[in-house]
């Protein structure tokens, strides 16, 4: 489960509500199956134009994690990324590239990595969406207008095993589903869960829950970060789909348009938000650098990508060839550092655009076709390199 965004299924929301771009072809019948096709670097459109050194801070964070693993530890599902030992030399080389030296960064990747086209059973086209780190207003004390609680994990939340179906609460000696969003919004958790902070806008809070983690700018001027600590275990229902089914939106069904409608119709919006039974609980994120992805490293704006780890190894560099919400080519190096419950399949990505309103405006409108190239060390362990 994505520590930052996946826990809240951002991509499901955006995929259900973003302004349509040219849609990828229908997915192939049958289960997803990654097939890797070798490429040369001159086959990557835009390769020489990307400011490649900008990806190195993200890569070095992942290198720091991978190189602490046992030497024979497999990287990625079924060892598609070789072993941790295969990454030592590329990671050491990355440390020697000077900040801002894009030519040296390209030489690094061309020298130490092999690009592989990722396909789903031979089909190269996929879908790319976006997510961001929200910033909302808050106060440590309940006082007008800060009257909406942001809850930590409740003391009566029971997790009996792995998987969200095992989450609930005890009632009359038996485990029952936990309270829904609608019930929580009516105040059922007061006294059952700690209130970490109070916010002034339930719509902004709901959007933060869709994204996952976020920042709260307090009324004393300080900023705190909150990370996902758990959920109530209910299935996510995208508010975009709810509003579309109700005929509440016009041609613009992007996330910014959805937010505007919800704020313009607070009472009806609160009722419709309640149709998403899923609710996110928070804890304080004291890391400081930024929101944490599933890999356990702070995400880098415009260079971190959420992927399906059943196919793409976390920590691996990837080349994204897609389109941004303004219709411009989006061709750049990123690093697979996060996951998402709605990010499914080999050719599927969710671009982390950063924090705040500007990032929201981009992430909330992104739903673009694209292709993905996976960079793997040239010297992968032979027993794992075959796929």
């Amino acid at each position: 489960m994505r520590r930052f965004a996946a826990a809240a299924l951002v991509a499901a929301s955006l995929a259900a509500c973003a302004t349509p771009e040219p849609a990828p072809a229908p997915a192939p019948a049958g289960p997803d199956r990654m097939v890797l096709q070798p490429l040369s670097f001159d086959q990557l459109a835009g390769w020489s134009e990307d400011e490649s050194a900008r990806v190195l801070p993200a890569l070095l964070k992942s290198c720091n994690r991978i190189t602490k693993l046992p030497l024979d530890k497999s990287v990625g599902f079924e060892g598609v990324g070789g072993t941790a030992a295969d990454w030592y030399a590329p990671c050491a080389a990355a440390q020697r590239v000077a900040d801002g030296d894009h030519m040296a960064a390209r030489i690094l990747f061309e020298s130490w990595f092999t690009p592989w086209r990722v396909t789903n059973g031979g089909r190269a086209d996929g879908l790319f969406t976006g997510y961001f780190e929200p910033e909302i207003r808050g106060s440590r004390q309940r006082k007008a207008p800060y009257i909406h609680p942001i809850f930590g994990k409740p003391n009566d939340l029971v997790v009996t095993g792995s998987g969200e179906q095992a989450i609930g609460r005890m009632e009359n000696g038996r485990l029952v589903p936990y309270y829904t969003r609608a019930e929580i919004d009516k105040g059922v958790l007061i006294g059952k869960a700690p209130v970490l902070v109070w916010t002034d806008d339930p719509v902004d809070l709901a959007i933060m829950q869709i994204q996952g983690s976020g920042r709260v700018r307090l009324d004393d001027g300080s900023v705190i970060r909150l990370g996902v600590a758990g959920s109530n275990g209910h299935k996510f229902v995208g508010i975009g789909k709810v509003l579309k089914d109700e005929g509440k939106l016009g041609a613009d069904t992007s996330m910014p348009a959805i937010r505007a409608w919800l704020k313009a119709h607070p009472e009806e919006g609160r009722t419709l938000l309640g149709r998403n039974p899923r609710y996110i609980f928070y804890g304080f994120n004291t890391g400081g650098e930024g929101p944490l992805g599933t890999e356990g490293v702070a995400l880098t704006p415009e260079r971190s990508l959420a992927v399906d780890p059943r196919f793409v190894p976390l920590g691996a560099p990837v080349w994204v060839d897609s389109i941004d919400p303004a219709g411009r080519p989006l061709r750049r190096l990123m690093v697979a550092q996060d996951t998402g419950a709605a990010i499914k399949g080999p050719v599927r990505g969710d671009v982390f655009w950063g924090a705040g309103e500007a990032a929201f405006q981009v992430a909330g409108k992104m739903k673009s076709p694209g292709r993905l190239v996976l960079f793997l060390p040239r010297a992968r362990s032979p027993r794992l390199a075959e796929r």
Side-chain angles (χ1 to χ4, degrees):
M1 185 167 79
R2 182 194 296 171
R3 291 187 193 177
F4 168 50
L9 301 178
V10 56
S13 174
L14 298 180
C17 66
T19 302
E21 297 282 352
D32 292 325
R33 182 172 64 91
M34 184 169 76
V35 177
L36 298 179
Q37 301 172 344
L39 295 175
S40 61
F41 283 91
D42 58 12
Q43 291 178 285
L44 303 181
W47 172 246
S48 61
E49 283 76 49
D50 183 40
E51 296 181 334
S52 303
R54 293 186 180 276
V55 80
L56 293 181
L59 177 61
L60 290 174
K61 292 173 188 175
S62 291
C63 280
N64 186 54
R65 184 194 67 85
I66 294 173
T67 55
K68 289 180 179 176
L69 299 173
L71 292 177
D72 60 351
K73 177 70 174 179
S74 294
V75 176
F77 184 66
E78 295 184 343
V80 66
T83 65
D86 300 330
W87 291 79
Y88 273 66
C91 286
Q95 291 179 329
R96 296 192 291 268
V97 177
D99 292 344
D101 192 339
H102 304 304
M103 177 63 74
R106 282 193 290 274
I107 293 172
L108 160 73
F109 289 104
E110 292 171 3
S111 300
W112 290 100
F113 291 91
T114 300
W116 298 83
R117 170 77 70 201
V118 179
T119 73
N120 192 354
R123 176 179 174 275
D125 295 319
L127 176 67
F128 292 83
T129 49
Y131 66 109
F132 78 114
E133 182 185 23
E135 181 174 290
I136 66 177
R137 297 178 297 272
S139 174
R140 295 186 186 275
Q141 288 80 41
R142 188 184 190 279
K143 58 183 180 180
Y146 305 106
I147 60 173
H148 305 284
I150 301 178
F151 290 111
K153 187 178 291 187
N155 54 29
D156 64 343
L157 183 69
V158 177
V159 180
T160 61
S162 62
E164 294 186 349
Q165 298 302 317
I167 294 177
R169 61 187 177 86
M170 299 303 297
E171 183 177 275
N172 298 323
R174 62 189 182 93
L175 185 68
V176 299
Y178 205 72
Y179 301 111
T180 65
R181 171 181 295 274
E183 292 172 316
I184 293 171
D185 283 343
K186 290 178 181 178
V188 71
L189 283 191
I190 298 299
K192 297 178 182 292
V195 177
L196 304 184
V197 67
W198 301 83
T199 186
D200 63 344
D201 195 316
V203 173
D204 287 343
L205 174 58
I207 290 175
M208 187 174 84
Q209 292 200 328
I210 291 172
Q211 299 297 301
S213 300
R215 301 194 297 189
V216 182
R217 186 168 295 278
L218 299 175
D219 52 353
D220 62 7
S222 62
V223 176
I224 59 174
R225 273 196 164 96
L226 299 178
V228 174
S231 80
N232 62 351
H234 287 274
K235 184 179 179 180
F236 175 83
V237 176
I239 184 60
K241 183 180 187 305
V242 172
L243 293 180
K244 182 179 179 181
D245 291 347
E246 291 291 327
K248 301 298 183 182
L249 298 175
D252 185 359
T253 57
S254 67
M255 201 63 178
I258 289 171
R259 183 181 67 176
W261 189 93
L262 290 171
K263 291 195 174 189
H265 305 83
E267 294 302 321
E268 187 177 7
R270 190 177 182 87
T271 299
L272 293 179
L273 281 170
R275 293 194 189 175
N276 171 24
R278 186 178 178 84
Y279 200 91
I280 300 299
F281 306 118
Y282 288 97
F284 292 110
N285 178 0
T286 58
E289 287 187 81
L292 296 180
T294 304
E295 192 188 15
V297 301
L299 301 178
T300 301
E302 301 184 36
R303 295 290 174 170
S304 292
L305 188 73
V307 298
D308 187 338
R310 296 176 301 164
F311 306 104
V312 178
L314 290 177
V318 289
W319 177 257
V320 172
D321 186 349
S322 186
I323 303 167
D324 74 11
R328 299 168 300 200
L330 179 65
R331 293 167 176 158
R332 67 181 56 167
L333 265 175
M334 299 185 186
V335 181
Q337 295 179 316
D338 211 351
T339 64
I343 310 303
K344 299 299 184 185
V347 195
R348 181 72 172 89
D350 207 16
V351 178
F352 175 61
W353 286 99
E357 182 66 20
F360 169 73
Q361 292 296 328
V362 179
K365 296 176 182 177
M366 186 170 180
K367 184 182 178 184
S368 305
R371 296 187 172 194
L372 189 68
V373 176
L374 174 61
F375 285 20
L376 296 174
R378 288 188 178 274
R380 279 191 298 160
S381 300
R383 67 182 178 87
L384 297 171
E386 297 177 3
R387 189 174 178 87

